[in-house]
Amino acid sequence: ALRRYEEVSADGQQIIRLDPTNIKAALIGARAQYLLEDFEAVANILRLALEQDPEHSEAKKLYKVVRNLVKYVANAKENMQ
């Protein structure tokens, strides 16, 4: 299953490179990266999607969740050292 998420992520990134306004592809790529637990990549993808459509409700919700998750993971790593 991990391999499929990697493929979906790569496909989504390729679509975004070809058409940066394709928010649907960005969300698919973001979800795949989320399942791969690459939360910083998810935040970056969603940030780019929101640059194209700042009012996209799903992207806004996911970005808020992931941004908080990135902060939480960073704090946890910091506390483990």
Side-chain angles (χ1 to χ4, degrees), residues 12-42:
Q13 290 175 17
Q14 180 65 22
I15 293 168
I16 293 166
R17 273 187 233 111
L18 295 172
D19 181 7
T21 64
N22 191 329
I23 304 298
K24 187 174 182 177
L27 291 173
I28 291 169
R31 287 188 193 103
Q33 288 300 113
Y34 183 89
L35 293 170
L36 292 168
E37 298 180 6
D38 189 349
F39 305 121
E40 289 184 24
V42 176

Side-chain angles (χ1 to χ4, degrees), residues 53-67:
D53 183 358
E55 298 305 316
H56 194 282
S57 62
E58 186 177 359
K60 284 170 63 173
K61 287 177 193 175
L62 289 172
Y63 182 70
K64 183 177 179 180
V65 168
V66 171
R67 188 183 66 217

